[in-house]
Amino acid sequence: MQAEKISITVTVNGERRTIETFPHHTLLEFLRDQLGLTGTKECCSQGECGSCTVLMNGRSVDSCLVLAVEADAGEIVTIEGTGSPGKLSALQAAFAETGAVQCGFCIPGMIMSAGYLLQRNPHPTVEEIKEGLDGNLCRCAGYSLIIQAVKKAAEAGE
Amino acid sequence: MRSWRRSKRNWRERRGSEEKAAVRLFRYARPDSIGEAAALLDQYGPEAKILAGGTDLLVRIRTGHTRPQMVIDLKRVATLATGITEIDSRLRFSALTTMTDVLEDKRVKRHFPALADAAHVVGSVQIRNRATLTGNICNASPAADTVPALLVSGAIVNMAGMDIPRSVPLSEFFTGPGKTILNRGELVESIDLPLPAQRTAAAFGRVTRRWGVDLATINLCCAVEASGKVRFAYGSAAPRPVLVEDSSGLLVDPGAHPDEKDALLRQLISHTSPRTDVRGSRDYRDAMLLVTSRRALRSAIDRLKDEAT
Amino acid sequence: MAASQVGSSLKRVGGVERVTGTQQYAADIRLDNVLHVKLVHLDCARAKIMAIDKSAASRVAGVRFIMTAADLPQPMPRCGPAYSDRPVLAVGETKYFGEPVAAVAAETKDAAEEAAALVCVEYEELPAVLTIEAALDPASPLVQDPAIRPNDPLAGSNILKAWAFDRGEAGNMSADCVIENDYTFPMVTHFAIEPHVFLAAPDPNGVIIWTPIQHPYVLQRVVASALEWPVSKVRIIAPDPGGGFGGKGWPKFEPLVAFLALKTGRPVRLVLTLEETFQAVRRASAHIHIKTGFALDGRIAFQDIAADFLIGAYADVGPRVVSKGSYAACGPYRTPQARIRARALLSHTTPSTAFRGFGTPQASWAVESQLNEAAEKLGIDRAEIRRRNLPAKGEAFIPNDTPADGDWVQALNSATEAIGWEKPLGKNRGRGVSLGLKSSSTASASFAIVRLHFDGSASVLSATSDMGQGARTVFTQIAAGELGIDPGRITIVMGDTAVVPFDSSTSASRSTVFMGNAIMKACADIRMQLQKMAAQVFVLAQDAITVGGGLVRTAEKTWTYAEFLGIYFGPPRGEVIGVGSARSEYLRDHPLGGKPVFWEMMCVAAEVEVDPETGMTHVHKLVLVSDIGKALNPRQVEAQDEGAAMMGLGHTLMEHLILDEHGRILNLGALDYRIPTIQDIPLDLYSILIENADGPGPFGAKGAGEGGTLALSAAVGAAVNEAAGVKIRDLPLTPERIWRAVEERRKRVVTSNQISMKEG
C-alpha cells in the first residue's frame, strides 16, 4: 500500500492552517515534525506518561493517541500557545518559581494538564490536583513541588 | 504471550518479512452515517478497525498487534454522538460517549454510581477524555474496568449494520479475550442500562500495583437489591468477564456468620479462572477476588442503606 | 567575597525555557539533510547471527544505507569507558535483548521503520545466562569471548571482576549475637522521561555528535578510540538531558551514529523509543549474603559481606558500581572487623550502567536491614542501635580513608524527631529509619573558564551537564557572588567540547564541589588579573588595589568593571579570562583510585500503613535529612532530595524488570513497568538540610542529588515489615509479595496453634 496524504484544516494555537498529512501519523508527530512545534514531547507513545499532552477541542488529550487527521476542523492548543518567555501565564510563572522544574522534559505536558484542571476547577484541593495530574509522569521531582506550583497558580487566580 | 514449544538446538528463526512491512500504513475513512460505516466494515472485514477514542487502537497499531488496512473513524456519525439520553426507563449511552461524559453525568452518578466509579479509574484524565464506553466493551479485554459495573446493571448492547439491528445482553456480547459477537459489517450503536426497577445499589472495586493510573490486577462490581439478590461481575479473572447471581439472601443477612458469607463468596468466585501474568499471579488474584468481593459487598450494602434514608 | 547569592533559592536558570516549551532537547534539534535511523534487533537475548538479508529493506523508497557488522572496520571496533568490550553493532552473536544487529538510515522516519521491519535476519537462539545463579554455574556458557580479555585470570568465567576488602584484624570473626541473611535487589531501569537520542554529522574537522550525555569528555575519548582518531577531531555537543540519573552517562550508540554519519556523508538522527531505552540501560541487580556480628549492647563487631552484582553483557561502568558500592558497604558505622567480597557477574542482559546511588542502594538494603534485625533480637530501639554505632565527626570509620565528615548523629536525631519516632503506632502501621552513605567522587578533575567581558558581563564555560539538578543556577550563583555581578548578566555555557574545558563527569554528586571550586578559582584568577592590570595602568602597588563586589577600587576612586576595562583596553576593547581547576588526587593503591572528597550521607525515616489483606502500602510520612554542608540553592537541593526519594520508593515498592526464559523483558515500556505517579507520593514529605559548612566545596558545601536513593528502601522496608508483621528481604515490596508473606506468616501461626492445640 502506498501512503496517501489527506488534507486537513486545523487551528493550532489560534492559527488556522490547511496542510496535507499522512493518516497514520499521530497528532504528536504532526505537531513536532510537520509544524515544528517541538514543545510537546515524545516519551512512551502509549498514553501512559502524558508528556505529549495538548488541548484538543477544549479537552486535554495524549496527542500520541490521536491521529493527525482526527484534528481536522478542530482546535489544538499546545504549550507554545500558552504564554511565552516574555509573558508567562500564572501557571508557568508558578512552576518556574517553586522549583518544580528540574530537567523540564515532563513540564510542557504537566502545564497543559494543570491548565486544563484549573480551567474546570479553579480552586482544587490537593487530592483533586493529584487526580488531575495522574496521567503525567515525572521522574525528577517529588511531585510535591508540582502540587505547590499548581496551588500557587490557583491562588494567583489563573 | 506466545508459547515457546520448540527444541532449542538448530532452530532457525527468521525475523523480517514482507507481511510485517508497511508497518503502520492504512487507509482512513470518515463516514457520516451508520450505513456508510457498516458498508466499509463489510467490505474490509477483519482488515478494518473502528476508531472512536483511539486509546486502545493506536497502542495496538504501534506495537504491531493489529495492522488494519482501513481505519474507520466514527466521530462524524451524528447519530452516534447523541451522548447520554433517557429513553423508556433506560439510560442510553451512544457509541461515542466518553468516560469523562459518563463519570460527569448526574444521572449516572445517581442511578449507577458504581459505573461512574469504574469510569473514573480508566486511565488518566487525558485517556478518559477520549476513551469511549463502547470502545471499552468492543475491545473486549477481560480487564476492562467498566464491564463489571455494566454487567451487574444488566447492560444491553444495541448493534446495527448491514443486517437488521439487534440487541443482546452484555453478558452474551463477549465470546473470548478480545472477541465479541459482532458480525462482519456490524457495529455497536449504543449501550442501554435499564433504570433499576427496585432499589439497587452497586459498588466497584479493584486491586492494582500502585496508587496511580494502572490496569487492574482484578476488578469487580457487586450489586445488591433490596430483595436480597446479589450479583457479582468479575474482570481480569477469566477469558471473558463473569457474571454470577445469588438469590439466597445470605450475603445481605446481617445475622449470617462471616465464614458462611465467605464460603458463598468463594463459591461465586469459583466461576472465574484467574491466570498468572506480569500483573499478578493466579493465587494472588484468587485471594484478591475474595477480599475485594467482601469490600464491594459491604460498600454496596451501605449504599443501599444510604439510599433508603 | 560576597556570598549574597549563595544560599538563596535563586530561580532556576533555564526554568523559563522549560515552562514555555522553548528549551531545546536533543530530539528537538533539526539538522538539514538528516537521515533517520532505525535499529534492527532480535526477539531474544542471545542468538547466533547466521545471515542478514538487506535486499527487501533496501528496496524501500528513501533508504540510503543499511549498516551491519560487515560494514564496519575489521576487527569490529570495541569500546567502553573501562573495558573496550562493546561492539558498535552485534557481530556473530547478540548478547542481550535489544542489542542492534543492523541500523537503517533513510530519508524519512517511516521509510526507516518500514525498512527495519524488512531486514531479514536468520538466527539461532542460544541459551542465555540471565541470573546470578546461572552466571556462577561453571556449566553455563561464557557471556564474553575470553579472547577479548587477554591476560585476565577470570576470562574463563562469567566473573568479570572480583574485589576483596578486609579491615581490622584478620582471622576469626565472632560476636555475642550473629545475624546471617540473604538480601536481593531487583533489576530496575532509569526511565528518564526523555528517551535516548543520538545525532551525528561529518564535519570538516572530523565529526560532531549531539547527545544529552552527562560526561561529554568520556564520550569524546571513547568515540575517538572507536574511530581511531585524535580526540581533537571529535566534537561532542551535549544538550541538557531530559533526565539522566546515570543512564545518559556512558557511551551507548554514539559510536554507531558516528560511523553512520561518516559512511553516508550526511547527518544522522537516531531517537530510541522508550522500549529501546529500557533495553539500553539499567541498574545492576544484586544478591547479598551477609553475616553481621553484634555485641549485646548493639555495637557492630564484624561484617562479613558477600555481594554478587549481576551486570550486563558489556561492562560499561558496571564494575565501578560494584567496587564503589561494596567498598562502602558497611555504611556510616564503626566496623572493627570487616570482610567484603564482591563480584561483578556478566550476563546476557542489558548492560547495567551508573544509576543514582551507584551500588549503595543495594548494599544499604542489606546492611541497614541487619541492624533492624539485631535491634529486635537484642531488645534495643532501632534508632538507638544506630546511634551507638555512628562515628563522631572527624573519626575514621574506614581505615586509611576520609573520616566521617559530618555530624551524623545529628542527622539521625533530626529524622527521628521529625517522624515522631517515640509516638505510639496505629494499627497496621510501621516505622523505619536508615542511613545511607556514598563515597563521592574520588579521583577526578574539573576545569572551568570564566570570561569577564568588556561590558562587565561574564560567561562561565563548564562541561557539567545540567540535567535537572540545577547546575547552571548554582554556577550562576557562585560566579555572581565571586565577581559581584548581577546573576542576570552571567551566562553559563555548557555542553560543547569545542568550547568548554575538560571535566571528568557529572556524577557522584561531585559538580557543586569540583566544578564549583574550579569556577571559584577562575573568578579569583580574574580578580587577581584585574588587580595586576589596575596596578599597571594606575602605576600603583598591587596591594593598593582592591577588587570585589563588581568594583575596582583605589584609595581615591572606584570603577565598575566595565569602566575599568574601558580605561585599560581603550577603544579596541578586550576581555579578562580566568582559568580554574579542581582535582583530587589519583591514588594508585587506593581501592577506588582515590579517597572520596566528601561522603554523601542521607538519613531517611518513614512511616507506612500496610493493608494486610491486599498488601498495598500507604507511605504516610517520609523524612529526608541531608547532611549537605551548605545549600547553595536550598530549593534545588530539596527538589533533588525529593526526586531521589521518589526514585527510591520506586525500587522499594514497585519497580522491577521481569524477564522471561529467553531474556526478553516482559514489562517493556510504560504500561507495565510501574514508576511512582503523583498519586504515589507520601502524604507528608519533609526535607531537612543540615548545614554545618563542613564540606570541601564552595562555602563548605558538599554534593547532593543521590541521597534519597541510598537507604530509602531500608527505612521504608523496615516500616513495611513492621506494619505487616513480616520479614521480607527481597525488593521490590510489591503488594503481592507483601500479601504472600502475610499469608505465609498466618499459615505458620495457624499451624503452630494447631500443633499446640494437639499437644495441649
Side-chain angles (χ1 to χ4, degrees):
Chain A
M1 185 190 317
Q2 281 291 25
E4 275 173 31
K5 283 190 160 170
I6 294 182
S7 176
I8 62 170
T9 300
V10 56
T11 304
V12 180
N13 296 330
E15 196 189 315
R16 193 135 167 267
R17 326 184 189 213
T18 300
I19 304 194
E20 287 199 329
T21 187
F22 288 112
H24 67 281
H25 279 185
T26 61
L27 178 61
L28 177 62
E29 292 171 291
F30 174 73
L31 291 169
R32 286 182 57 81
D33 300 338
Q34 277 193 260
L35 300 188
L37 294 170
T38 56
T40 309
K41 303 304 177 197
E42 180 165 18
C43 169
C44 79
S45 305
Q46 283 191 312
E48 287 287 318
C49 73
S51 59
C52 67
T53 307
V54 300
L55 295 184
M56 177 159 148
N57 302 331
R59 285 188 165 184
S60 68
V61 299
D62 293 314
S63 58
C64 69
L65 293 185
V66 178
L67 295 176
V69 290
E70 291 181 79
D72 189 21
E75 255 185 64
I76 308 291
V77 180
T78 72
I79 188 72
E80 288 91 345
T82 311
S84 61
K87 196 177 185 323
L88 299 179
S89 68
L91 197 51
Q92 287 169 318
F95 266 80
E97 276 156 32
T98 48
V101 178
Q102 293 187 48
C103 85
F105 202 79
C106 74
I107 293 298
M110 204 58 88
I111 287 179
M112 296 309 291
S113 284
Y116 177 71
L117 169 72
L118 290 179
Q119 228 175 65
R120 313 175 84 233
N121 184 353
H123 299 286
T125 62
V126 168
E127 279 316 304
E128 287 166 339
I129 294 173
K130 284 185 182 178
E131 203 193 272
L133 298 184
D134 194 12
N136 289 79
L137 292 177
C138 175
R139 196 57 157 154
C140 287
Y143 290 113
S144 59
L145 290 168
I146 291 173
I147 294 172
Q148 262 182 53
V150 177
K151 282 216 141 244
K152 190 170 177 170
E155 277 150 30
E158 168 79 310
Chain B
M1 213 43 62
R2 303 198 311 251
S3 64
W4 288 67
R5 266 183 243 114
R6 41 175 82 147
S7 64
K8 289 286 175 74
R9 295 190 125 245
N10 301 319
W11 180 265
R12 297 293 170 89
E13 284 266 12
R14 290 185 114 236
R15 171 236 173 269
S17 61
E18 292 289 344
E19 44 182 63
K20 294 203 166 184
V23 281
R24 285 190 298 149
L25 296 189
F26 46 77
R27 289 197 190 90
Y28 171 82
R30 243 178 356 211
D32 43 37
S33 70
I34 291 181
E36 209 186 312
L40 281 167
L41 280 170
D42 189 44
Q43 181 189 346
Y44 282 88
E47 304 299 333
K49 285 284 181 264
I50 285 179
L51 171 66
T55 55
D56 285 319
L57 179 64
L58 264 69
V59 175
R60 292 158 65 78
I61 288 176
R62 180 180 170 268
T63 57
H65 273 101
T66 186
R67 293 176 203 281
Q69 282 188 24
M70 159 63 75
V71 167
I72 303 168
D73 186 349
L74 294 182
K75 292 194 285 298
R76 294 284 173 92
V77 179
T79 51
L80 298 178
T82 48
I84 305 173
T85 49
E86 227 172 294
I87 290 181
D88 299 334
S89 63
R90 291 174 174 197
L91 210 51
R92 175 162 292 175
F93 301 80
S94 70
L96 294 173
T97 307
T98 65
M99 295 299 175
T100 297
D101 296 334
V102 170
L103 68 96
E104 287 185 348
D105 188 274
K106 287 202 179 71
R107 295 159 295 183
V108 174
K109 284 196 267 210
R110 179 154 162 253
H111 297 293
F112 305 105
L115 177 62
D117 291 339
H120 217 122
V121 303
V122 171
S124 60
V125 170
Q126 295 96 310
I127 297 285
R128 295 194 286 275
N129 280 343
R130 297 266 302 165
T132 61
L133 190 64
T134 297
N136 208 211
I137 69 165
C138 289
N139 200 43
S141 160
D145 284 308
T146 58
V147 168
L150 290 170
L151 278 174
V152 300
S153 305
I156 295 158
V157 185
N158 304 315
M159 297 169 281
M162 298 300 286
D163 304 320
I164 48 168
R166 56 183 183 132
S167 299
V168 297
L170 184 61
S171 51
E172 290 167 27
F173 184 69
F174 306 108
T175 58
K179 295 193 168 61
T180 71
I181 62 163
L182 285 168
N183 290 324
R184 182 172 177 134
E186 209 173 22
L187 54 90
V188 172
E189 205 180 349
S190 59
I191 300 171
D192 284 349
L193 278 184
L195 292 168
Q198 55 162 304
R199 265 194 324 116
T200 309
F204 169 76
R206 69 177 199 158
V207 171
T208 53
R209 293 161 294 177
R210 65 180 184 189
W211 296 110
V213 172
D214 207 351
L215 291 174
T217 306
I218 55 104
N219 54 22
L220 57 82
C221 197
C222 171
V224 170
E225 285 180 14
S227 66
K229 214 183 264 188
V230 174
R231 282 189 297 283
F232 275 98
Y234 311 102
S236 216
R240 306 184 298 148
V242 172
L243 176 65
V244 293
E245 189 176 274
D246 174 73
S247 352
S248 69
L250 178 72
L251 292 172
V252 299
D253 178 2
H257 196 274
D259 287 351
E260 281 185 291
K261 287 191 177 182
D262 267 7
L264 180 48
L265 288 174
R266 280 206 180 85
Q267 206 193 89
L268 294 171
I269 290 167
S270 70
H271 291 93
T272 65
S273 51
R275 344 168 276 170
T276 296
D277 67 16
V278 286
R279 271 160 233 140
S281 69
R282 180 174 47 217
D283 49 350
Y284 180 65
R285 284 192 149 108
D286 212 31
M288 292 306 102
L289 281 167
L290 180 61
V291 169
T292 314
S293 292
R294 282 194 207 117
R295 295 179 182 187
L297 176 65
R298 173 85 267 142
S299 297
I301 291 172
D302 288 344
R303 239 177 201 161
L304 195 65
K305 277 202 203 103
D306 290 343
E307 274 179 26
T309 54
Chain C
M1 185 168 319
S4 52
Q5 297 296 343
V6 156
S8 71
S9 288
L10 182 70
K11 218 161 74 169
R12 192 195 191 292
V13 173
V16 169
E17 290 79 359
R18 285 162 171 80
V19 300
T20 53
T22 53
Q23 176 70 26
Q24 202 181 50
Y25 298 90
D28 305 326
I29 295 174
R30 291 281 171 272
L31 296 176
D32 285 334
N33 203 30
V34 77
L35 287 173
H36 297 270
V37 179
K38 193 81 183 143
L39 299 177
V40 175
H41 32 80
L42 306 180
D43 197 26
C44 62
R46 180 175 176 234
K48 187 165 164 197
I49 303 165
M50 316 297 295
I52 304 179
D53 183 353
K54 309 190 237 182
S55 48
S58 305
R59 285 193 293 268
V60 171
V63 168
R64 291 292 163 252
F65 189 71
I66 301 175
M67 180 174 270
T68 64
D71 301 299
L72 288 157
Q74 312 289 324
M76 167 67 75
R78 288 177 185 272
C79 47
Y83 291 75
S84 296
D85 57 355
R86 191 195 291 244
V88 176
L89 277 176
V91 53
E93 198 178 294
T94 57
K95 303 283 192 181
Y96 68 90
F97 179 53
E99 182 170 22
V101 303
V104 174
E107 299 289 350
T108 64
K109 285 197 292 184
D110 281 349
E113 204 180 306
E114 187 176 338
L118 286 171
V119 170
C120 186
V121 182
E122 222 178 281
Y123 65 94
E124 186 182 314
E125 187 178 349
L126 299 171
V129 172
L130 303 170
T131 62
I132 289 175
E133 291 74 39
L136 290 171
D137 187 346
S140 285
L142 290 180
V143 175
Q144 289 196 350
D145 182 351
I148 66 169
R149 291 155 61 191
N151 308 319
D152 182 351
L154 293 169
S157 75
N158 285 318
I159 303 170
L160 178 64
K161 204 164 174 199
W163 293 262
F165 304 119
D166 290 283
R167 293 173 195 147
E169 281 176 44
N172 195 32
M173 295 178 128
S174 64
D176 297 319
C177 170
V178 176
I179 307 221
E180 188 170 359
N181 283 308
D182 289 276
Y183 297 86
T184 65
F185 196 102
M187 265 190 210
V188 295
T189 185
H190 304 65
F191 198 155
I193 307 300
E194 177 200 36
H196 287 230
V197 180
F198 313 89
L199 297 98
D203 175 76
N205 293 318
V207 72
I208 309 179
I209 298 178
W210 292 259
T211 172
I213 194 94
Q214 294 167 228
H215 322 319
Y217 276 94
V218 174
L219 178 62
Q220 187 195 44
R221 160 171 70 83
V222 168
V223 170
S225 105
L227 295 171
E228 293 184 348
W229 283 7
V231 296
S232 55
K233 292 204 163 308
V234 176
R235 179 175 173 191
I236 309 293
I237 298 179
D240 289 358
F245 318 117
K248 291 178 179 142
W250 312 91
K252 304 285 178 286
F253 298 129
E254 292 87 349
L256 173 61
V257 294
F259 276 110
L260 272 171
L262 293 169
K263 198 83 177 191
T264 57
R266 287 173 62 174
V268 299
R269 176 180 187 262
L270 170 62
V271 178
L272 296 190
T273 63
L274 186 66
E275 289 81 3
E276 288 172 323
T277 301
F278 280 23
Q279 290 174 304
V281 289
R282 69 171 176 88
R283 194 192 283 279
S285 50
H287 174 252
I288 299 181
H289 182 87
I290 177 170
K291 202 155 104 170
T292 315
F294 295 88
L296 292 174
D297 67 355
R299 274 180 231 267
I300 297 169
F302 70 82
Q303 290 278 19
D304 189 352
I305 300 173
D308 281 323
F309 285 75
L310 194 69
I311 65 173
Y314 304 110
D316 197 273
V317 79
R320 181 88 176 147
V321 170
V322 179
S323 66
K324 249 191 151 179
S326 309
Y327 179 79
C330 296
Y333 303 109
R334 290 189 198 102
T335 310
Q337 226 187 339
R339 194 188 113 95
I340 302 171
R341 299 287 176 270
R343 294 186 290 198
L345 306 175
L346 295 162
S347 62
H348 291 107
T349 62
T350 298
S352 64
T353 185
F355 194 164
R356 207 173 195 175
F358 212 78
T360 293
Q362 296 93 322
S364 75
W365 166 235
V367 167
E368 292 287 317
S369 300
Q370 291 283 88
L371 276 161
N372 294 332
E373 195 163 320
E376 194 189 330
K377 264 216 168 83
L378 297 169
I380 304 172
D381 174 83
R382 285 171 296 159
E384 179 59 25
I385 197 173
R386 286 166 166 85
R387 246 173 241 121
R388 293 181 188 173
N389 285 295
L390 282 170
K393 196 193 306 203
E395 193 183 322
F397 66 105
I398 295 179
N400 306 314
D401 213 323
T402 307
D405 58 356
D407 188 344
W408 295 341
V409 173
Q410 181 191 4
L412 173 60
N413 291 340
S414 295
T416 51
E417 195 188 309
I419 198 91
W421 188 254
E422 310 290 330
K423 297 204 182 113
L425 270 176
K427 188 169 174 236
N428 294 327
R429 290 217 185 187
R431 283 195 199 107
V433 68
S434 67
L435 290 105
L437 187 83
K438 179 180 180 281
S439 142
S440 70
S441 187
T442 54
S444 69
S446 294
F447 292 78
I449 293 173
V450 178
R451 300 169 57 194
L452 178 64
H453 303 295
F454 64 88
D455 68 348
S457 66
S459 296
V460 176
L461 313 185
S462 151
T464 298
S465 165
D466 192 343
M467 51 186 139
Q469 84 280 40
R472 260 180 233 280
T473 314
V474 166
F475 297 165
T476 303
Q477 289 175 267
I478 293 173
E482 292 302 292
L483 294 174
I485 295 179
D486 183 271
R489 302 193 81 219
I490 298 178
T491 298
I492 310 293
V493 178
M494 287 175 162
D496 185 342
T497 56
V499 175
V500 304
F502 183 91
D503 181 31
S504 297
S505 66
T506 305
S507 65
S509 315
R510 65 181 287 282
S511 301
T512 300
V513 170
F514 281 81
M515 191 57 79
N517 278 342
I519 293 171
M520 285 187 67
K521 288 188 200 169
C523 293
D525 183 12
I526 287 178
R527 289 198 305 270
M528 188 153 76
Q529 289 186 57
L530 286 172
Q531 210 185 23
K532 281 200 182 118
M533 287 152 67
Q536 182 206 333
V537 84
F538 298 134
V539 192
L540 288 170
Q542 242 177 272
D543 53 22
I545 315 280
T546 46
V547 178
L551 301 168
V552 177
R553 267 197 200 96
T554 63
E556 284 124 26
K557 279 194 84 173
T558 299
W559 299 267
T560 63
Y561 290 156
E563 286 165 349
F564 173 72
L565 293 174
I567 294 169
Y568 184 86
F569 286 116
R573 299 190 179 83
E575 66 181 54
V576 183
I577 301 172
V579 176
S581 69
R583 293 176 50 223
S584 62
E585 213 188 322
Y586 175 67
L587 298 173
R588 191 188 310 275
D589 295 329
H590 190 286
L592 299 182
K595 298 185 189 179
V597 161
F598 64 90
W599 294 103
E600 184 168 359
M601 206 288 292
M602 178 174 281
C603 182
V604 178
E607 183 173 320
V608 311
E609 184 182 343
V610 175
D611 180 340
E613 287 194 314
T614 61
M616 288 290 281
T617 301
H618 267 294
V619 181
H620 279 278
K621 215 164 161 185
L622 200 61
V623 173
L624 312 170
V625 180
S626 209
D627 177 62
I628 187 134
K630 170 84 186 158
L632 302 187
N633 188 314
R635 187 167 46 221
Q636 278 183 185
V637 178
E638 283 173 12
Q640 282 289 293
D641 283 348
E642 286 185 29
M646 288 313 290
M647 222 160 211
L649 274 185
H651 65 233
T652 304
L653 296 177
M654 61 185 82
E655 287 181 48
H656 55 151
L657 290 168
I658 304 171
L659 269 57
D660 69 8
E661 69 274 23
H662 303 280
R664 295 179 301 186
I665 301 170
L666 292 176
N667 54 344
L668 191 65
L671 190 63
D672 276 316
Y673 184 83
R674 310 275 74 181
I675 64 172
T677 68
I678 201 169
Q679 300 266 35
D680 296 288
I681 67 176
L683 263 54
D684 283 313
L685 179 67
Y686 298 93
S687 210
I688 298 172
L689 306 179
I690 292 188
E691 295 180 77
N692 292 330
D694 46 9
F699 310 106
K702 300 177 190 172
E706 293 178 83
T709 58
L710 299 179
L712 183 130
S713 35
V716 173
V720 166
N721 281 331
E722 179 174 38
V726 296
K727 272 205 184 63
I728 305 175
R729 301 192 181 96
D730 306 300
L731 294 176
L733 303 167
T734 58
E736 181 169 335
R737 195 169 245 154
I738 294 171
W739 167 80
R740 206 173 285 285
V742 171
E743 281 298 288
E744 268 155 35
R745 188 205 58 190
R746 208 177 44 80
K747 284 186 197 142
R748 275 202 304 276
V749 167
V750 168
T751 309
S752 72
N753 282 345
Q754 286 173 341
I755 289 172
S756 57
M757 273 167 60
K758 275 195 196 151
E759 289 169 355

